[in-house]
Amino acid sequence: MSELFDAVDALVASRSVLPPPVERKRLRVAHGLTIDEVATTLKVRRATVSGWEAGKTEPRPPEREAYARLLDKLAELYPATPADAAAPVQDAAVPATFTGEPAPAPEVRTAAGNTQTGKTQPSASAPVASAPAAASRPARTARPSPSSASRGPAEGKAVPANTLAGGTDSRFENGPLAVVDVDADGQVLAYCVGGLVLDVPAKSLPALVEWTLREARLGAPKLSGPGKDADPLLVLTASALKRYGLPVALSDEDRHAGRLPEDHKVIKQLVRAEWKLTKRGLGPWARIYRPATGSDRQCVQLCIPSWNALDPRSWGHAGQLPPSELARMLGVYASRVMTPRGSTAVTGLELMTALHPPTRASEPDADGRRHSEHNPGSLGKDPVDCAPCEAPDGHPLLADLPRFHVRGPGEKLFEEAYDWARPMTDDECTLRYLVGIDVNMAFAAGANGLNVGLGAPTHVKNPVFDPKLPGSWLVDLSHVDLARVRVGKDKWADLDASLLPSPFTPTGERPQGPAWYATPTVAYAQELGYEVRPLEAYVRYDNGRYLDGWYQRLRDAFLATMADLGVHADMEPADFLTAMDGCKERDPGLAIVVSAVKATVKGGLGKLRERPRGEGWKPGQPWRALARPTWRPDIRAAVISRTRINLHRKVVKHAAFTGQYPVAVLSDCVVYAADGTSPLDFLPYRDGKPLPGGFKLGINPGLVKHEGTQSVLWGEEVRERFNAPELNLARYIKDGQVTGKDSGE
């Protein structure tokens, strides 16, 4: 009888009444949910949920019952109002894009909202638009600000920067940051996002900090429920540094120390005003704070470009931008990624923590009090030891090793990106060009959906390999022969192994015996059709997809900014190549954002295995980074392993289908010999469709773009000039410029 009842319940659920598509989206956005979160919970694809909200498709059992239950719960929390029926739903989880329309001239007003006459500044040469919301979840207490609710672009007024779906968070009405500058009349101005300019009355640095916290209404809402709101960021120009008694440039001694000396007069001013500095001191990225009392947090961060806060390797020429353009560019980054917390590497690491805070508030106890408890899915608040094989040289775990001992593959996990090249064959030398393709956001794509360890490792002898269990495995993969590999469920391919890099080493050389590998590398050996028998392993039974939210936010930031530059997802291959050509010149400010987002990915992953940075460190002693719960070399190794394997899989599919082999591979760049100058001259597109599992042109992470083209004669001449038949031409394929330093001379 119970089976009949279950069948009846299922039949009723299959006809569950669902609200209209627009209402479905409104309910999701009202609760701050992303499409990815709903799709993951219901175990469907992201496109499926998008189709339900667009009215293109309707859910079917068994997902329909679960989806209806979700919407019913949300409808109880957020009942519809007449205004909801008339207003379009703005999805705070989807990054906004710039329209490119000319911006109104910025207004100058006090932080309280009073317009100052006669202080308007000329608008930036690049279009200025309001940055999208900085939070993926709207603040529960967000309400329209009385000082700005009636204003809009049509009135020539600046739009509040932190407009959220459903209202404005008045605490951060003026955006996440401001660039502080002194104009020709000696007036101190704070340039905010959206073209807004505030009049700054502060006469000293302590007064500037007080003004920022009391009147400026700067900051950004937290990125996750248990997290913290972002502190306001002040960017000080050279003229502002002079006004507040700071040097425009650091002396050689101070630059080496990374901060001003503690006896500097401005630091003494801060101390007298009872402000504190973090261990960074007053340097390029300084944090000025007072100890928090309860939930009252008082902290302001400084960014000083002339002290090299904006490293040109990540931020290009951002340090030379005018204040309004610098505010616009940093505002876009802050709203789409997060308010910078330091270098792009530091910000990348901080973004992981902001999306997965280590603790959360517990449910009320018997006395109605809440306590701090571990936040599931996070790395926790305490650091964990890595496995000995995962420890870099000089780690305290290796203190007992003999001096000058060099660890081999059987002692050290060495998962790094590719640096491989080979001499060209006679047939390849008859072709005219070398064409490089580059994988977009390759390491971010490698992090997507990756199961990583959250806790400490467990040592296991003679384990049975589990491709779903993150860890480090000691296994012999020297028997894997690329001459014959499985490229499908029941499909094998015969390849020329001498023309392919090994997937198991960064140098592309075939392993000679047992070595330590991360889980994705060993799983790929199985995928190629070979048996694996690990000798031992360090596995992590506490695991999860810790980097998914991190990937999604950086992906969305990248795609939204590229869309602003005219490069959209799902473009036809030829249109995509055309759109990419010169896209960064269309808006140099947004091009800087793209570069910074990429640097955030790589730098954040690099920080997971940060090495000692001076401080009198000696091998065998701990260094500062080891005290962080985010010091996790195993997670970095797993991401790099998966990224390298993803690339090799595409190379193998391409070789099996076309008979073409790469000439060089460097990290995420692959070079092929071809008869034409375009990737379309060797990528096997048929009727506009790429080879399944192979390379596909497009802007999405994991797809490829054109990196550069040089002639085969150029490649041979370069290798002959440096007497290096295996010189990695992928390093120079973009512009063809080769220096002796780069080539190893």
Side-chain angles (χ1 to χ4, degrees):
M1 184 63 70
S2 61
E3 294 179 359
L4 291 176
F5 288 165
D6 291 342
V8 170
D9 291 343
L11 180 62
V12 172
S14 69
R15 300 294 189 272
S16 298
V17 178
L18 298 175
V22 173
E23 178 66 0
R24 301 170 194 175
K25 182 174 182 178
R26 184 193 72 81
L27 292 171
R28 175 179 61 77
V29 172
H31 200 59
L33 298 176
T34 66
I35 292 178
D36 294 282
E37 287 175 320
V38 175
T40 300
T41 301
L42 300 179
K43 298 181 180 180
V44 297
R45 295 185 302 115
R46 187 181 194 276
T48 301
V49 178
S50 297
W52 295 345
E53 293 186 350
K56 296 180 180 179
T57 59
E58 287 294 315
R60 298 178 180 179
E63 292 82 14
R64 185 183 181 94
E65 178 185 12
Y67 189 48
R69 183 179 179 85
L70 170 66
L71 296 177
D72 287 342
K73 293 288 186 182
L74 296 179
E76 293 175 6
L77 296 172
Y78 310 101
T81 65
D84 292 328
V89 179
Q90 178 184 345
D91 192 345
V94 179
T97 58
F98 288 93
T99 62
E101 298 176 359
E107 64 171 340
V108 182
R109 59 187 174 105
T110 64
N114 300 319
T115 302
Q116 300 291 312
T117 59
K119 291 291 184 181
T120 54
Q121 302 295 316
S123 60
S125 58
V128 179
S130 297
S136 60
R137 292 179 182 271
R140 299 293 177 220
T141 59
R143 294 187 299 273
S145 170
S147 64
S148 61
S150 63
R151 298 180 183 144
E155 300 178 87
K157 303 295 184 179
V159 179
N162 280 299
T163 299
L164 304 176
T168 300
D169 191 330
S170 59
R171 297 174 302 158
F172 314 124
E173 177 187 1
N174 295 328
L177 55 89
V179 178
V180 181
D181 187 52
V182 181
D183 67 6
D185 298 330
Q187 176 64 53
V188 182
L189 302 174
Y191 293 79
C192 306
V193 298
L196 176 67
V197 182
L198 301 178
D199 187 6
V200 181
K203 304 299 183 182
S204 66
L205 187 60
L208 178 64
V209 174
E210 294 277 4
W211 172 84
T212 302
L213 293 173
R214 295 179 183 274
E215 301 181 41
R217 297 182 183 177
L218 295 174
K222 57 189 177 182
L223 297 181
S224 65
K228 299 177 182 178
D229 296 329
D231 298 319
L233 172 65
L234 297 181
V235 184
L236 303 184
T237 65
S239 61
L241 292 174
K242 293 179 181 178
R243 170 61 62 91
Y244 293 119
L246 294 168
V248 173
L250 293 176
S251 66
D252 291 341
E253 182 179 354
D254 294 342
R255 187 167 55 251
H256 179 73
R259 68 194 72 185
L260 290 180
E262 294 185 4
D263 60 355
H264 193 277
K265 63 179 182 180
V266 174
I267 296 181
K268 291 181 178 179
Q269 290 175 0
L270 292 170
V271 172
R272 285 196 297 270
E274 299 183 345
W275 289 105
K276 296 179 179 292
L277 291 163
T278 62
K279 292 182 179 180
R280 288 182 181 179
L282 188 50
W285 291 93
R287 300 187 70 78
I288 303 173
Y289 72 99
R290 286 184 179 133
T293 55
S295 60
D296 182 21
R297 180 178 174 86
Q298 298 185 67
C299 183
V300 172
Q301 178 159 309
L302 302 184
C303 167
I304 306 178
S306 64
W307 294 4
N308 201 36
L310 301 175
D311 191 329
R313 293 172 295 181
S314 303
W315 294 100
H317 64 284
Q320 285 74 51
L321 290 176
S324 59
E325 294 185 24
L326 181 57
R328 175 203 180 220
M329 184 275 296
L330 287 175
V332 175
Y333 179 89
S335 61
R336 293 180 176 174
V337 180
M338 70 179 299
T339 306
R341 296 287 302 272
S343 66
T344 50
V346 170
T347 304
L349 196 68
E350 291 288 341
L351 180 61
M352 297 179 194
T353 303
L355 293 169
H356 286 287
T359 60
R360 68 177 184 184
S362 67
E363 293 296 325
D365 60 17
D367 297 326
R369 297 180 180 178
R370 296 180 182 269
H371 307 276
S372 177
E373 66 178 12
H374 173 69
N375 184 26
S378 75
L379 297 181
K381 63 179 181 179
D382 299 316
V384 298
D385 286 334
C386 62
C389 62
E390 298 162 352
D393 293 338
H395 191 279
L397 287 175
L398 311 175
D400 294 335
L401 287 179
R403 192 178 182 186
F404 305 121
H405 175 75
V406 178
R407 293 187 294 162
E411 300 173 278
K412 180 180 180 180
L413 177 69
F414 193 63
E415 294 283 12
E416 298 294 340
Y418 268 128
D419 187 353
W420 170 88
R422 62 170 176 81
M424 284 185 277
T425 65
D426 292 342
D427 289 341
E428 288 167 340
C429 288
T430 64
L431 302 176
R432 299 179 61 189
Y433 298 102
L434 295 171
V435 183
I437 53 177
D438 179 79
V439 181
N440 295 312
M441 300 274 284
F443 294 99
N448 182 29
L450 179 64
N451 205 32
V452 300
L454 301 177
T458 300
H459 188 214
V460 184
K461 286 284 190 178
N462 298 315
V464 176
F465 177 68
D466 182 354
K468 297 181 180 180
L469 186 61
S472 301
W473 309 78
L474 180 62
V475 58
D476 189 352
L477 299 180
S478 60
H479 63 290
V480 178
D481 188 0
L482 296 181
R484 183 166 178 77
V485 297
R486 185 164 55 197
V487 293
K489 184 175 181 181
D490 297 310
K491 186 177 180 181
W492 291 73
D494 295 321
L495 306 174
D496 188 341
S498 66
L499 302 180
L500 285 171
S502 167
F504 308 126
T505 62
T507 60
E509 299 177 357
R510 187 167 177 172
Q512 300 300 310
W516 286 99
Y517 303 102
T519 296
T521 303
V522 185
Y524 186 57
Q526 278 190 336
E527 180 184 323
L528 292 175
Y530 292 85
E531 184 181 17
V532 295
R533 294 182 178 178
L535 303 175
E536 60 178 302
Y538 288 91
V539 297
R540 289 171 169 82
Y541 295 110
D542 179 15
N543 54 69
R545 291 166 60 161
Y546 174 71
L547 295 174
D548 274 11
W550 183 79
Y551 159 77
Q552 290 159 9
R553 189 158 181 87
L554 290 167
R555 173 205 62 195
D556 290 349
F558 175 71
L559 292 180
T561 311
M562 289 303 299
D564 293 336
L565 292 171
V567 184
H568 302 274
D570 302 324
M571 298 180 79
E572 292 298 320
D575 295 336
F576 167 71
L577 292 174
T578 301
M580 285 294 295
D581 188 19
C583 69
K584 294 186 177 181
E585 284 71 35
R586 294 171 199 149
D587 191 325
L590 292 181
I592 294 175
V593 176
V594 172
S595 174
V597 171
K598 293 180 179 179
T600 303
V601 173
K602 292 186 177 181
L605 293 173
K607 277 283 186 180
L608 292 170
R609 200 193 67 161
E610 184 177 359
R611 302 302 305 275
R613 305 178 67 180
E615 304 171 356
W617 176 81
K618 295 181 180 179
Q621 296 178 345
W623 57 93
R624 184 183 300 177
L626 299 186
R628 294 194 321 246
T630 50
W631 193 84
R632 292 296 301 272
D634 57 297
I635 296 180
R636 173 187 177 272
V639 173
I640 294 177
S641 164
R642 192 166 187 238
T643 303
R644 193 181 68 245
I645 293 307
N646 286 346
L647 183 61
H648 194 274
R649 185 182 292 111
K650 290 180 171 62
V651 167
V652 166
K653 289 287 182 70
H654 186 85
F657 188 80
T658 66
Q660 298 170 333
Y661 295 84
V663 172
V665 183
L666 181 68
S667 188
D668 49 8
C669 177
V670 187
V671 176
Y672 283 92
D675 265 329
T677 60
S678 167
L680 289 174
D681 291 315
F682 69 91
L683 293 182
Y685 273 83
R686 287 186 177 178
D687 299 325
K689 296 182 179 180
L691 170 68
F695 296 108
K696 178 182 178 181
L697 289 167
I699 197 58
N700 286 291
L703 305 188
V704 299
K705 67 177 185 297
H706 184 204
E707 179 69 4
T709 297
Q710 305 295 331
S711 69
V712 167
L713 291 178
W714 165 86
E716 289 298 280
E717 187 274 332
V718 166
R719 285 177 164 177
E720 183 178 346
R721 187 199 325 166
F722 294 107
N723 192 27
E726 296 183 0
L727 181 70
N728 197 327
L729 299 175
R731 182 171 280 109
Y732 320 107
I733 195 69
K734 188 169 187 175
D735 56 16
Q737 299 298 315
V738 185
T739 64
K741 180 179 179 180
D742 291 336
S743 61
E745 285 199 345

